[in-house]
Tab-separated table of all heavy atoms in Angstrom:
chain	number	residue	atom	x	y	z
A	1064	ALA	N	-1.896	1.826	11.026
A	1064	ALA	CA	-1.189	0.626	11.508
A	1064	ALA	C	-1.082	-0.416	10.398
A	1064	ALA	O	-0.036	-1.056	10.245
A	1064	ALA	CB	-1.906	0.044	12.719
A	1065	ASN	N	-2.139	-0.577	9.618
A	1065	ASN	CA	-2.110	-1.509	8.492
A	1065	ASN	C	-1.094	-1.060	7.451
A	1065	ASN	O	-0.356	-1.869	6.893
A	1065	ASN	CB	-3.502	-1.623	7.867
A	1065	ASN	CG	-3.613	-2.767	6.897
A	1065	ASN	OD1	-2.618	-3.339	6.479
A	1065	ASN	ND2	-4.824	-3.103	6.539
A	1066	PHE	N	-1.023	0.235	7.188
A	1066	PHE	CA	-0.062	0.799	6.238
A	1066	PHE	C	1.371	0.558	6.700
A	1066	PHE	O	2.211	0.076	5.936
A	1066	PHE	CB	-0.344	2.295	6.074
A	1066	PHE	CG	0.704	3.055	5.326
A	1066	PHE	CD1	0.811	2.936	3.953
A	1066	PHE	CD2	1.583	3.893	5.991
A	1066	PHE	CE1	1.780	3.645	3.251
A	1066	PHE	CE2	2.543	4.603	5.306
A	1066	PHE	CZ	2.654	4.484	3.919
A	1067	LEU	N	1.661	0.879	7.962
A	1067	LEU	CA	3.021	0.738	8.488
A	1067	LEU	C	3.437	-0.716	8.628
A	1067	LEU	O	4.621	-1.038	8.540
A	1067	LEU	CB	3.128	1.439	9.846
A	1067	LEU	CG	2.981	2.956	9.825
A	1067	LEU	CD1	2.944	3.495	11.253
A	1067	LEU	CD2	4.090	3.601	9.022
A	1068	ARG	N	2.476	-1.584	8.821
A	1068	ARG	CA	2.748	-3.013	9.002
A	1068	ARG	C	3.448	-3.623	7.789
A	1068	ARG	O	4.235	-4.554	7.896
A	1068	ARG	CB	1.419	-3.719	9.256
A	1068	ARG	CG	1.501	-5.169	9.526
A	1068	ARG	CD	0.095	-5.671	9.887
A	1068	ARG	NE	0.134	-7.046	10.226
A	1068	ARG	CZ	0.012	-8.024	9.321
A	1068	ARG	NH1	-0.199	-7.748	8.080
A	1068	ARG	NH2	0.073	-9.278	9.711
A	1069	HIS	N	3.170	-3.088	6.614
A	1069	HIS	CA	3.716	-3.649	5.378
A	1069	HIS	C	4.979	-2.937	4.897
A	1069	HIS	O	5.485	-3.251	3.834
A	1069	HIS	CB	2.658	-3.608	4.274
A	1069	HIS	CG	1.463	-4.444	4.596
A	1069	HIS	ND1	1.499	-5.810	4.634
A	1069	HIS	CD2	0.196	-4.101	4.926
A	1069	HIS	CE1	0.321	-6.280	4.953
A	1069	HIS	NE2	-0.498	-5.266	5.152
A	1070	LYS	N	5.465	-1.992	5.657
A	1070	LYS	CA	6.658	-1.257	5.266
A	1070	LYS	C	7.902	-1.980	5.767
A	1070	LYS	O	7.868	-2.702	6.755
A	1070	LYS	CB	6.620	0.171	5.835
A	1070	LYS	CG	5.504	0.994	5.263
A	1070	LYS	CD	5.662	1.115	3.777
A	1070	LYS	CE	4.449	1.703	3.124
A	1070	LYS	NZ	4.424	1.499	1.712
A	1071	PRO	N	9.019	-1.772	5.082
A	1071	PRO	CA	10.260	-2.422	5.515
A	1071	PRO	C	10.662	-1.990	6.921
A	1071	PRO	O	10.533	-0.825	7.280
A	1071	PRO	CB	11.302	-1.961	4.494
A	1071	PRO	CG	10.640	-1.000	3.597
A	1071	PRO	CD	9.194	-0.939	3.920
A	1072	ARG	N	11.096	-2.968	7.664
A	1072	ARG	CA	11.540	-2.753	9.051
A	1072	ARG	C	10.479	-2.028	9.870
A	1072	ARG	O	10.781	-1.213	10.732
A	1072	ARG	CB	12.859	-2.023	9.098
A	1072	ARG	CG	13.970	-2.787	8.443
A	1072	ARG	CD	15.265	-2.059	8.606
A	1072	ARG	NE	16.265	-2.685	7.781
A	1072	ARG	CZ	17.302	-3.345	8.252
A	1072	ARG	NH1	17.491	-3.421	9.542
A	1072	ARG	NH2	18.167	-3.908	7.448
A	1073	LYS	N	9.215	-2.341	9.545
A	1073	LYS	CA	8.068	-1.774	10.269
A	1073	LYS	C	8.164	-0.248	10.347
A	1073	LYS	O	7.904	0.371	11.367
A	1073	LYS	CB	7.943	-2.363	11.668
A	1073	LYS	CG	7.798	-3.863	11.682
A	1073	LYS	CD	6.451	-4.294	11.176
A	1073	LYS	CE	6.314	-5.797	11.376
A	1073	LYS	NZ	5.220	-6.373	10.713
A	1074	ALA	N	8.565	0.371	9.221
A	1074	ALA	CA	8.639	1.834	9.089
A	1074	ALA	C	9.519	2.452	10.170
A	1074	ALA	O	9.164	3.448	10.800
A	1074	ALA	CB	7.259	2.455	9.066
A	1075	PHE	N	10.697	1.852	10.357
A	1075	PHE	CA	11.704	2.365	11.285
A	1075	PHE	C	11.166	2.548	12.700
A	1075	PHE	O	11.486	3.508	13.387
A	1075	PHE	CB	12.293	3.670	10.755
A	1075	PHE	CG	12.892	3.535	9.397
A	1075	PHE	CD1	12.237	4.045	8.296
A	1075	PHE	CD2	14.088	2.857	9.217
A	1075	PHE	CE1	12.769	3.899	7.036
A	1075	PHE	CE2	14.631	2.711	7.961
A	1075	PHE	CZ	13.973	3.228	6.851
A	1076	GLY	N	10.319	1.632	13.117
A	1076	GLY	CA	9.843	1.627	14.480
A	1076	GLY	C	8.555	2.385	14.732
A	1076	GLY	O	8.017	2.340	15.827
A	1077	PHE	N	8.018	3.097	13.741
A	1077	PHE	CA	6.756	3.829	13.942
A	1077	PHE	C	5.566	2.884	14.081
A	1077	PHE	O	4.551	3.244	14.656
A	1077	PHE	CB	6.489	4.803	12.789
A	1077	PHE	CG	7.394	5.992	12.807
A	1077	PHE	CD1	8.281	6.216	11.776
A	1077	PHE	CD2	7.361	6.889	13.861
A	1077	PHE	CE1	9.113	7.307	11.788
A	1077	PHE	CE2	8.190	7.990	13.881
A	1077	PHE	CZ	9.079	8.200	12.842
A	1078	PHE	N	5.688	1.684	13.542
A	1078	PHE	CA	4.592	0.728	13.606
A	1078	PHE	C	4.228	0.386	15.060
A	1078	PHE	O	3.050	0.285	15.398
A	1078	PHE	CB	4.965	-0.552	12.840
A	1078	PHE	CG	4.019	-1.690	13.042
A	1078	PHE	CD1	2.773	-1.695	12.423
A	1078	PHE	CD2	4.349	-2.763	13.859
A	1078	PHE	CE1	1.884	-2.741	12.605
A	1078	PHE	CE2	3.466	-3.813	14.051
A	1078	PHE	CZ	2.238	-3.797	13.415
A	1079	TYR	N	5.216	0.235	15.907
A	1079	TYR	CA	4.965	-0.209	17.277
A	1079	TYR	C	4.223	0.830	18.126
A	1079	TYR	O	3.260	0.481	18.812
A	1079	TYR	CB	6.273	-0.670	17.913
A	1079	TYR	CG	6.872	-1.807	17.118
A	1079	TYR	CD1	8.000	-1.610	16.326
A	1079	TYR	CD2	6.266	-3.057	17.109
A	1079	TYR	CE1	8.524	-2.646	15.560
A	1079	TYR	CE2	6.781	-4.101	16.349
A	1079	TYR	CZ	7.908	-3.889	15.572
A	1079	TYR	OH	8.412	-4.908	14.817
A	1080	PRO	N	4.598	2.111	18.096
A	1080	PRO	CA	3.797	3.082	18.845
A	1080	PRO	C	2.377	3.247	18.288
A	1080	PRO	O	1.425	3.422	19.056
A	1080	PRO	CB	4.577	4.393	18.718
A	1080	PRO	CG	5.890	4.058	18.173
A	1080	PRO	CD	5.823	2.697	17.596
A	1081	VAL	N	2.243	3.170	16.958
A	1081	VAL	CA	0.909	3.277	16.362
A	1081	VAL	C	0.065	2.070	16.767
A	1081	VAL	O	-1.117	2.202	17.088
A	1081	VAL	CB	1.004	3.424	14.822
A	1081	VAL	CG1	-0.359	3.284	14.168
A	1081	VAL	CG2	1.632	4.756	14.457
A	1082	SER	N	0.653	0.879	16.781
A	1082	SER	CA	-0.072	-0.319	17.207
A	1082	SER	C	-0.456	-0.236	18.680
A	1082	SER	O	-1.551	-0.658	19.071
A	1082	SER	CB	0.768	-1.572	16.978
A	1082	SER	OG	0.920	-1.800	15.611
A	1083	LEU	N	0.411	0.314	19.487
A	1083	LEU	CA	0.109	0.506	20.906
A	1083	LEU	C	-1.047	1.501	21.075
A	1083	LEU	O	-1.956	1.279	21.880
A	1083	LEU	CB	1.348	0.982	21.658
A	1083	LEU	CG	1.222	1.087	23.171
A	1083	LEU	CD1	0.920	-0.277	23.788
A	1083	LEU	CD2	2.498	1.660	23.756
A	1084	TYR	N	-1.033	2.570	20.285
A	1084	TYR	CA	-2.124	3.543	20.343
A	1084	TYR	C	-3.429	2.910	19.854
A	1084	TYR	O	-4.497	3.159	20.426
A	1084	TYR	CB	-1.768	4.778	19.516
A	1084	TYR	CG	-2.793	5.876	19.600
A	1084	TYR	CD1	-3.216	6.380	20.824
A	1084	TYR	CD2	-3.349	6.414	18.453
A	1084	TYR	CE1	-4.162	7.387	20.909
A	1084	TYR	CE2	-4.297	7.423	18.522
A	1084	TYR	CZ	-4.691	7.909	19.744
A	1084	TYR	OH	-5.636	8.896	19.814
A	1085	LEU	N	-3.362	2.069	18.828
A	1085	LEU	CA	-4.552	1.357	18.346
A	1085	LEU	C	-5.099	0.450	19.443
A	1085	LEU	O	-6.308	0.396	19.665
A	1085	LEU	CB	-4.232	0.537	17.095
A	1085	LEU	CG	-5.378	-0.266	16.504
A	1085	LEU	CD1	-6.485	0.653	16.003
A	1085	LEU	CD2	-4.879	-1.151	15.362
A	1086	TYR	N	-4.229	-0.230	20.150
A	1086	TYR	CA	-4.663	-1.071	21.269
A	1086	TYR	C	-5.323	-0.221	22.356
A	1086	TYR	O	-6.354	-0.601	22.905
A	1086	TYR	CB	-3.476	-1.854	21.836
A	1086	TYR	CG	-3.845	-2.663	23.051
A	1086	TYR	CD1	-4.575	-3.839	22.933
A	1086	TYR	CD2	-3.483	-2.238	24.321
A	1086	TYR	CE1	-4.935	-4.576	24.053
A	1086	TYR	CE2	-3.827	-2.960	25.442
A	1086	TYR	CZ	-4.556	-4.130	25.296
A	1086	TYR	OH	-4.909	-4.842	26.407
A	1087	HIS	N	-4.739	0.917	22.636
A	1087	HIS	CA	-5.303	1.843	23.634
A	1087	HIS	C	-6.714	2.268	23.218
A	1087	HIS	O	-7.649	2.246	24.022
A	1087	HIS	CB	-4.384	3.058	23.764
A	1087	HIS	CG	-4.907	4.143	24.627
A	1087	HIS	ND1	-4.961	4.056	25.993
A	1087	HIS	CD2	-5.413	5.360	24.305
A	1087	HIS	CE1	-5.476	5.168	26.481
A	1087	HIS	NE2	-5.763	5.979	25.475
A	1088	LEU	N	-6.889	2.646	21.952
A	1088	LEU	CA	-8.209	3.030	21.448
A	1088	LEU	C	-9.176	1.850	21.488
A	1088	LEU	O	-10.365	2.027	21.762
A	1088	LEU	CB	-8.113	3.584	20.032
A	1088	LEU	CG	-7.402	4.925	19.863
A	1088	LEU	CD1	-7.352	5.314	18.397
A	1088	LEU	CD2	-8.047	6.010	20.704
A	1089	SER	N	-8.675	0.648	21.203
A	1089	SER	CA	-9.523	-0.541	21.253
A	1089	SER	C	-10.100	-0.757	22.644
A	1089	SER	O	-11.281	-1.093	22.789
A	1089	SER	CB	-8.727	-1.785	20.838
A	1089	SER	OG	-8.346	-1.726	19.501
A	1090	VAL	N	-9.271	-0.565	23.649
A	1090	VAL	CA	-9.733	-0.735	25.027
A	1090	VAL	C	-10.726	0.359	25.403
A	1090	VAL	O	-11.780	0.084	25.985
A	1090	VAL	CB	-8.528	-0.741	26.003
A	1090	VAL	CG1	-8.990	-0.700	27.440
A	1090	VAL	CG2	-7.654	-1.955	25.752
A	1091	ILE	N	-10.434	1.588	25.038
A	1091	ILE	CA	-11.310	2.712	25.387
A	1091	ILE	C	-12.658	2.618	24.673
A	1091	ILE	O	-13.705	2.818	25.279
A	1091	ILE	CB	-10.624	4.052	25.053
A	1091	ILE	CG1	-9.469	4.293	26.010
A	1091	ILE	CG2	-11.611	5.208	25.121
A	1091	ILE	CD1	-8.653	5.510	25.668
A	1092	TYR	N	-12.632	2.319	23.373
A	1092	TYR	CA	-13.848	2.354	22.558
A	1092	TYR	C	-14.573	1.018	22.470
A	1092	TYR	O	-15.682	0.951	21.953
A	1092	TYR	CB	-13.533	2.831	21.143
A	1092	TYR	CG	-12.957	4.219	21.067
A	1092	TYR	CD1	-12.078	4.562	20.062
A	1092	TYR	CD2	-13.281	5.202	22.007
A	1092	TYR	CE1	-11.550	5.837	19.966
A	1092	TYR	CE2	-12.743	6.469	21.934
A	1092	TYR	CZ	-11.884	6.783	20.904
A	1092	TYR	OH	-11.357	8.042	20.820
A	1093	GLY	N	-13.958	-0.056	22.930
A	1093	GLY	CA	-14.612	-1.356	22.872
A	1093	GLY	C	-14.706	-1.916	21.471
A	1093	GLY	O	-15.693	-2.544	21.115
A	1094	ILE	N	-13.683	-1.682	20.674
A	1094	ILE	CA	-13.638	-2.184	19.301
A	1094	ILE	C	-12.396	-3.050	19.163
A	1094	ILE	O	-11.301	-2.631	19.540
A	1094	ILE	CB	-13.575	-1.042	18.269
A	1094	ILE	CG1	-14.765	-0.107	18.421
A	1094	ILE	CG2	-13.503	-1.594	16.858
A	1094	ILE	CD1	-14.693	1.118	17.545
A	1095	GLU	N	-12.569	-4.240	18.614
A	1095	GLU	CA	-11.427	-5.127	18.411
A	1095	GLU	C	-11.369	-5.539	16.941
A	1095	GLU	O	-12.055	-6.468	16.511
A	1095	GLU	CB	-11.543	-6.360	19.297
A	1095	GLU	CG	-10.337	-7.247	19.237
A	1095	GLU	CD	-10.466	-8.450	20.146
A	1095	GLU	OE1	-11.130	-8.355	21.191
A	1095	GLU	OE2	-9.906	-9.493	19.772
A	1096	ILE	N	-10.571	-4.792	16.175
A	1096	ILE	CA	-10.335	-5.101	14.764
A	1096	ILE	C	-8.822	-5.175	14.580
A	1096	ILE	O	-8.131	-4.163	14.728
A	1096	ILE	CB	-10.924	-4.022	13.828
A	1096	ILE	CG1	-12.420	-3.821	14.091
A	1096	ILE	CG2	-10.694	-4.398	12.367
A	1096	ILE	CD1	-13.042	-2.690	13.308
A	1097	PRO	N	-8.277	-6.344	14.278
A	1097	PRO	CA	-6.829	-6.454	14.089
A	1097	PRO	C	-6.346	-5.579	12.936
A	1097	PRO	O	-7.073	-5.350	11.967
A	1097	PRO	CB	-6.621	-7.938	13.774
A	1097	PRO	CG	-7.813	-8.611	14.355
A	1097	PRO	CD	-8.938	-7.641	14.205
A	1098	ASN	N	-5.105	-5.105	13.043
A	1098	ASN	CA	-4.600	-4.182	12.029
A	1098	ASN	C	-4.306	-4.841	10.681
A	1098	ASN	O	-4.010	-4.151	9.725
A	1098	ASN	CB	-3.361	-3.427	12.533
A	1098	ASN	CG	-2.194	-4.340	12.830
A	1098	ASN	OD1	-2.108	-5.449	12.338
A	1098	ASN	ND2	-1.296	-3.864	13.661
Side-chain angles (χ1 to χ4, degrees):
N1065 192 346
F1066 170 75
L1067 294 173
R1068 183 175 183 272
H1069 297 291
K1070 295 300 169 196
R1072 298 184 190 248
K1073 302 289 187 192
F1075 303 105
F1077 288 117
F1078 170 75
Y1079 301 107
V1081 170
S1082 292
L1083 186 62
Y1084 184 54
L1085 179 64
Y1086 176 75
H1087 174 73
L1088 292 178
S1089 294
V1090 171
I1091 290 174
Y1092 299 149
I1094 302 174
E1095 186 179 329
I1096 304 174
N1098 63 21

